[in-house]
């Protein structure tokens, strides 16, 4: 009986080890952010990894995180199309595409929340493809490697951008885009189908104009229930199109 109890305890402990909480902190090479082992680089030190002759290696930084991009030498090394990104944090340029000296900056305060989401997609790309080697002291990390106010601000903007993205994705599913066609002879036509807007569904819907609050744009969307749509102030019927028609001739989209 005692030995039976022993087996149960051993089996329980083995399972417990499997489910113990893990250390999910960001790893830098073989080191962890926990403790004092994070490598902190000044901007000047980072600039000595620009891949120019005699440089120590090939690094770039994004949002203050430094990556060893030697593996991508053809892009970032001398003669590479993105050589100007080496040895610095040019976070803004990942979104603006402005690769001039002024554009190659880590000041991302001008970015919208949606653009900050796109910038974090780039950060994920580098985390996936390249080795993270440390942090740059400056705009995003303090001398002790702590996040600065500027980084907290960007993270808040990221959260806002992710929420907006989720809302707009939900709206795309609720109100998928119409198919559109224009010809000089026939004019414009908008219509709904079970795949319009790239949203596969088991309903077709009827075309309506959707006015998005905060944006001057109007787009044609397919609405599943025309009666319920009457309640939505942002939706409007197309003139001279019967309310239940799934295809309408239009003068503008
Ligand atoms: C905001 C504008 C842009 C940015 C910030 C950007 C950035 C980059 C970066 C960082 C890489 C290297 C990725 C790696 O490490 O593997 C890359 C690769 C590349 N980019 Fe761009 N790029 C931009 C626009 C464009 C445009 C407009 C084109 C095409 C007309 C283009 C074509 C390419 C190609 C062909 C590669 C190489 C893919 C490969 O060989 O693996 N990029 N881009």
């Amino acid at each position: 009986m005692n030995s039976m109890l022993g087996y149960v305890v051993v089996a329980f402990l083995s399972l417990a080890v499997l489910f113990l909480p893990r250390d999910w902190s960001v790893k830098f090479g073989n080191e962890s952010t926990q403790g004092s082992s994070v490598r902190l680089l000044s901007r000047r030190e980072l600039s000595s990894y620009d891949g120019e002759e005699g440089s120590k290696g090939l690094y770039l930084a994004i949002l203050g995180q430094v990556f060893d991009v030697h593996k991508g030498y053809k892009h970032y090394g001398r003669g590479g199309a993105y050589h100007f990104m080496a040895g610095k944090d040019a976070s803004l340029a990942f979104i603006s595409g402005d690769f001039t000296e002024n554009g190659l900056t880590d000041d991302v305060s001008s970015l919208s929340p949606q653009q900050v989401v796109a910038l974090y997609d780039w950060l994920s790309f580098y985390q996936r493809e390249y080795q993270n080697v440390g942090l740059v002291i400056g705009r995003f990390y303090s001398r002790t490697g702590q996040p600065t106010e500027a980084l907290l601000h960007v993270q808040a903007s990221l959260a806002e951008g992710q929420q907006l993205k989720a809302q707009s994705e939900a709206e795309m599913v609720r109100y998928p885009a119409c198919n559109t066609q224009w010809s000089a002879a026939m004019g414009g036509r908008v219509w709904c189908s079970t795949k319009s807007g790239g949203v596969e569904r088991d309903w077709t819907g009827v075309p309506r104009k959707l006015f998005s609050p905060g944006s001057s744009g109007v787009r044609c969307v397919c609405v599943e229930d025309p009666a319920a749509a009457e309640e939505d102030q942002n939706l409007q019927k197309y003139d001279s199109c019967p309310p239940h028609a799934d295809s309408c001739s239009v003068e503008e989209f």
Side-chain angles (χ1 to χ4, degrees):
M1 188 65 189
N2 265 351
S3 67
M4 181 69 179
L5 187 65
Y7 281 127
V8 172
V9 171
V10 169
F12 174 78
L13 287 176
S14 315
L15 278 174
V17 166
L18 273 179
F19 291 101
L20 271 179
R22 293 173 205 177
D23 174 14
W24 293 117
S25 57
V26 183
K27 293 274 192 285
F28 294 100
N30 296 323
E31 300 157 352
S32 155
T33 47
Q34 287 176 348
S36 57
S37 52
V38 179
R39 184 170 165 204
L40 295 166
L41 293 89
S42 65
R43 280 168 200 254
R44 179 192 273 264
E45 203 178 348
L46 177 60
S47 70
S48 60
Y49 290 85
D50 65 354
E52 286 298 334
E53 211 166 322
S55 79
K56 295 191 204 165
L58 196 55
Y59 289 177
L60 70 66
I62 174 166
L63 287 162
Q65 298 195 24
V66 184
F67 296 88
D68 183 337
V69 292
H70 188 78
K71 195 179 91 179
Y73 190 88
K74 64 173 177 175
H75 302 307
Y76 308 103
R78 290 173 82 190
Y82 300 98
H83 180 50
F84 45 73
M85 286 182 163
K88 57 175 85 70
D89 186 331
S91 290
L92 185 64
F94 283 95
I95 302 304
S96 67
D98 175 358
F99 303 133
T100 63
E101 204 180 320
N102 275 346
L104 295 171
T105 167
D106 60 359
D107 181 357
V108 294
S109 57
S110 59
L111 295 181
S112 69
Q114 289 93 332
Q115 290 174 315
V116 170
V117 172
L119 181 56
Y120 270 85
D121 287 344
W122 272 109
L123 176 61
S124 304
F125 166 77
Y126 285 100
Q127 287 174 335
R128 210 169 48 241
E129 296 295 328
Y130 296 102
Q131 184 81 57
N132 198 331
V133 291
L135 302 171
V136 199
I137 301 166
R139 190 177 295 275
F140 301 113
Y141 291 95
S142 71
R143 295 191 169 282
T144 54
Q146 295 307 305
T148 60
E149 280 293 316
L151 184 57
L152 298 181
H153 197 265
V154 181
Q155 286 169 345
S157 188
L158 170 70
E160 195 185 330
Q162 284 169 330
Q163 202 178 345
L164 289 169
K165 194 174 167 191
Q167 276 167 5
S168 107
E169 281 166 4
E171 189 183 88
M172 289 292 184
V173 172
R174 185 170 177 216
Y175 295 139
C178 309
N179 300 302
T180 59
Q181 189 181 46
W182 193 88
S183 73
M186 309 281 290
R189 183 166 85 92
V190 292
W191 76 102
C192 294
S193 61
T194 53
K195 280 187 188 162
S196 67
V199 179
E200 283 207 38
R201 53 194 190 267
D202 57 10
W203 52 274
T204 304
V206 295
R208 291 288 183 271
K209 287 186 236 180
L210 175 70
F211 296 83
S212 297
S215 129
S216 55
V218 181
R219 61 187 190 96
C220 178
V221 295
C222 297
V223 168
E224 184 177 9
D225 179 357
E230 294 284 320
E231 309 291 313
D232 192 331
Q233 305 260 309
N234 298 318
L235 292 171
Q236 208 177 80
K237 290 191 201 95
Y238 281 93
D239 294 336
S240 70
C241 186
H244 291 277
D246 61 14
S247 175
C248 306
S249 295
V250 295
E251 274 166 24
E252 53 176 10
F253 293 124

